Amino acid sequence: MNMMENSKTKNIITAIALSLVLASCKAPMATVIKDEVKENIPQNFNQEEQQDANNNSGTTPWRQFFTDPNLVTLIETALKNNQELLITLQEIEIAKSGVLAKKGRLTPTVSAGIGAGLKKAGRYTSEGAGDATTEIEPGKEMPDPLGNFEAGLNASWEIDIWKKLRTEKESAVAHYLSTVEGKNFVLSNLIEEVADNYYELLALDNQLDIIQQYIKLQQRALEISKIQKEAAAATELAVKKFEAELAKSKAAEYTIRQQITEKENQINALLGRYPQPIVRTKENFMSTIPPTVYTGIPSQLLANRPDIKQAELELKASKLDVEAARKEFYPSLEISATLGLEAFKPSYLVKLPESIAYNLAGELAGPLINKSAIKANFQTADAKQVQALYEYDKTILNAYLDVANLMSKVKNIDQYYQLKSQETKALDQSIDIANQLFRNSRADYLEVLLNQRDALDAKMELIEAKQKQLSTVVDIYKSLGGGWK
């Protein structure tokens, strides 16, 4: 009879296990994604020119790329104090904790505890009737009410039979690594911002010098016009025009001074500090020669740009999340165990082995009927996987376009700067000629004013061209993946 019952029990357990396995076979399949953007990345940034894979400025450390000691000092301060960077570092710590949490699920959970309780069963119940006729020891009846004192260890462990927990841990590791790359991208952006704002500040300094020189020029022109008016060689209109131009120039000076203050504070904000003067040397700004930038080949962006590597790791994590969500359809095996001492009086706890109590159980469970929550989690993970692929493709495409656009900009801004230099020289000469003619009453005051205005605008634009020239080189350096090493 016992053998028949054992056989039936085994058959029932086998049937349940088979039903769980069969149910798990109905788990949906993940969307198959193909990364065509990565596979079809062009061989060169410019199809008309061949790039050298051995020369890539993106691998140059930023301390070697930037040679201005004042700028280097500013960057070093920003890397220590910038709030956005500090926030990103905490995101890395959060992701690291996520890895530890997933890793902890692979090992058994063990806890220790003690407890005490008191229970009284009704006399006319099976438990109460049994206690009333039971002796703890010969001559000693079961206490009523019955106490319960216990101390021991509890353990539980989910056996990772489908490697679901390992997959979740691998996903957490990939996400952690993506936050590290995210930090590198913040570093690259931060260095670019500090350098760009620094060059803009130097440009404003030089524009302030130009406007101050123009003010002196206007003051001399005003004095000459007054002298000529007294000699009846000029009219009051000429005097008023020069006065108006002088006032306009002085107003422009204060506008530039305000821009300098705001730009200094913008740099201070990047450096994570309160307003203070920015140490700089403006005299050599216009003679600064931008470093030569070598682009390498487009495929190197995949290894050099931290935002691409971050997107790639997030794509990897999302794929692992889909795999883990799919394994939720499979049955899980959990083992629980208890080992300790238990007695109705504290003094009996030390009576061994009678007070020893233990329990060991295994449970194989899986979803059979209502799987809507599991299906929803799987569909969400699958959609996020496709979304991560699109984000990865977009990042690669934008990186390639950034470099291609900036390569063209470097060439065009160089030509623009050369032509502006020629324009400035020609207008400087025309100012001297116009002033000489005006002194000799051979030129109208309007000719002098127009020449001076054109020369001022040309010098201002030349300074802006130098700033754009330097900033464009910084931007392409960052676009190639430089600035975080």
Side-chain angles (χ1 to χ4, degrees):
M1 184 70 179
N2 289 334
M3 291 180 63
M4 292 180 64
E5 290 179 353
N6 291 336
S7 178
K8 288 181 179 180
T9 301
K10 290 180 179 179
N11 290 336
I12 292 172
I13 293 174
T14 302
I16 293 174
L18 286 174
S19 65
L20 291 172
V21 173
L22 289 173
S24 68
C25 291
K26 297 180 181 179
M29 299 299 295
T31 302
V32 179
I33 58 178
K34 186 177 180 181
D35 193 358
E36 295 182 356
V37 172
K38 179 180 177 181
E39 293 176 357
N40 298 325
I41 189 168
Q43 296 297 315
N44 294 286
F45 290 107
N46 189 334
Q47 301 304 322
E48 299 177 357
E49 299 179 8
Q50 295 293 322
Q51 278 86 40
D52 185 2
N54 296 321
N55 283 329
N56 192 321
S57 297
T59 60
T60 304
W62 68 266
R63 291 178 186 276
Q64 296 178 17
F65 187 81
F66 297 105
T67 56
D68 187 331
N70 294 322
L71 176 56
V72 170
T73 300
L74 292 174
I75 293 174
E76 288 176 341
T77 304
L79 296 181
K80 293 177 183 177
N81 301 333
N82 182 262
Q83 281 81 11
E84 184 178 353
L85 179 57
L86 295 176
I87 292 171
T88 305
L89 293 177
Q90 294 310 306
E91 290 178 358
I92 293 177
E93 294 300 318
I94 293 171
K96 187 187 295 184
S97 299
V99 174
L100 293 176
K102 296 297 182 182
K103 184 179 179 181
R105 292 188 60 190
L106 289 168
T107 56
T109 300
V110 180
S111 61
I114 58 175
L118 188 65
K119 181 179 180 182
K120 183 182 186 312
R123 176 63 179 81
Y124 300 108
T125 63
S126 59
E127 183 179 356
D131 289 346
T133 58
T134 301
E135 294 183 343
I136 296 296
E137 292 179 352
K140 289 186 177 181
E141 295 182 353
M142 183 75 71
D144 188 21
L146 182 66
N148 184 58
F149 299 90
E150 58 184 4
L153 301 174
N154 298 308
S156 61
W157 187 19
E158 180 179 352
I159 306 299
D160 195 20
I161 53 178
W162 309 109
K163 295 185 178 180
K164 181 191 72 173
L165 300 180
R166 288 182 176 83
T167 301
E168 291 178 349
K169 189 196 83 170
E170 290 175 7
S171 174
V173 170
H175 178 64
Y176 162 72
L177 294 176
S178 78
T179 59
V180 174
E181 295 299 337
K183 180 264 297 181
N184 292 336
F185 190 57
V186 171
L187 279 175
S188 184
N189 282 333
L190 177 60
I191 291 174
E192 178 195 32
E193 281 191 75
V194 173
D196 283 347
N197 281 282
Y198 178 75
Y199 290 137
E200 289 174 13
L201 180 59
L202 292 180
L204 288 171
D205 287 338
N206 280 265
Q207 286 181 335
L208 181 61
D209 289 344
I210 294 297
I211 201 70
Q212 288 173 342
Q213 293 172 14
Y214 185 66
I215 288 172
K216 293 179 180 178
L217 187 64
Q218 288 298 312
Q219 287 173 339
R220 288 196 297 269
L222 177 60
E223 292 172 359
I224 293 171
S225 67
K226 288 180 178 179
I227 293 172
Q228 288 187 334
K229 178 194 170 187
E230 292 176 358
T235 64
E236 181 69 16
L237 180 60
V239 175
K240 294 302 180 183
K241 282 289 186 179
F242 281 116
E243 285 181 350
E245 189 70 15
L246 179 60
K248 179 182 177 182
S249 301
K250 289 182 177 179
E253 177 185 2
Y254 288 105
T255 299
I256 295 176
R257 289 186 182 277
Q258 178 61 26
Q259 291 174 342
I260 289 174
T261 299
E262 293 178 0
K263 187 59 63 177
E264 282 188 314
N265 288 337
Q266 191 172 349
I267 295 175
N268 282 317
L270 292 173
L271 272 56
R273 67 189 189 186
Y274 287 106
Q276 56 184 277
I278 301 298
V279 178
R280 58 196 185 272
T281 303
K282 63 182 180 180
E283 287 75 19
N284 299 326
F285 176 70
M286 295 304 294
S287 60
T288 302
I289 300 175
T292 303
V293 177
Y294 302 97
T295 60
I297 57 177
S299 59
Q300 292 174 327
L301 292 175
L302 304 177
N304 293 340
R305 279 194 52 142
D307 58 333
I308 293 180
K309 291 194 285 185
Q310 181 185 17
E312 183 180 15
L313 288 165
E314 285 296 336
L315 176 59
K316 179 181 178 181
S318 66
K319 289 180 179 179
L320 292 169
D321 288 339
V322 174
E323 185 180 342
R326 188 172 187 272
K327 290 175 180 178
E328 290 290 344
F329 289 92
Y330 301 167
S332 60
L333 175 60
E334 293 189 6
I335 297 176
S336 59
T338 304
L339 175 63
L341 303 174
E342 187 175 17
F344 68 89
K345 288 176 62 177
S347 59
Y348 281 91
L349 286 174
V350 295
K351 288 192 174 184
L352 302 176
E354 290 84 355
S355 62
I356 295 177
Y358 60 86
N359 177 53
L360 179 65
E363 180 181 18
L364 183 67
L368 289 178
I369 299 176
N370 189 355
K371 304 179 183 179
S372 58
I374 298 176
K375 288 180 179 178
N377 289 336
F378 173 79
Q379 290 170 355
T380 299
D382 192 43
K384 287 183 177 180
Q385 172 196 216
V386 177
Q387 186 182 51
L389 173 66
Y390 294 149
E391 188 68 31
Y392 180 52
D393 289 345
K394 183 183 75 173
T395 305
I396 294 175
L397 184 59
N398 288 342
Y400 178 88
L401 294 175
D402 282 346
V403 177
N405 289 337
L406 288 168
M407 285 175 62
S408 175
K409 187 176 180 180
V410 165
K411 294 179 180 178
N412 290 328
I413 199 68
D414 285 344
Q415 294 297 320
Y416 177 82
Y417 181 80
Q418 296 301 326
L419 292 172
K420 278 295 174 183
S421 297
Q422 295 176 20
E423 179 187 3
T424 301
K425 291 178 182 178
L427 288 172
D428 279 342
Q429 294 172 356
S430 69
I431 287 178
D432 294 336
I433 295 172
N435 287 336
Q436 186 65 34
L437 292 173
F438 181 67
R439 290 190 190 96
N440 297 325
S441 300
R442 296 177 60 189
D444 186 75
Y445 67 91
L446 288 176
E447 293 180 272
V448 177
L449 280 175
L450 289 174
N451 272 281
Q452 290 177 348
R453 286 179 184 175
D454 290 343
L456 175 65
D457 292 341
K459 288 181 179 179
M460 291 294 199
E461 291 171 358
L462 181 64
I463 293 172
E464 290 180 359
K466 172 58 69 174
Q467 178 263 313
K468 289 179 181 178
Q469 193 181 46
L470 294 170
S471 293
T472 301
V473 171
V474 174
D475 294 343
I476 195 171
Y477 171 65
K478 175 253 181 181
S479 295
L480 290 170
W484 59 271
K485 295 181 181 179

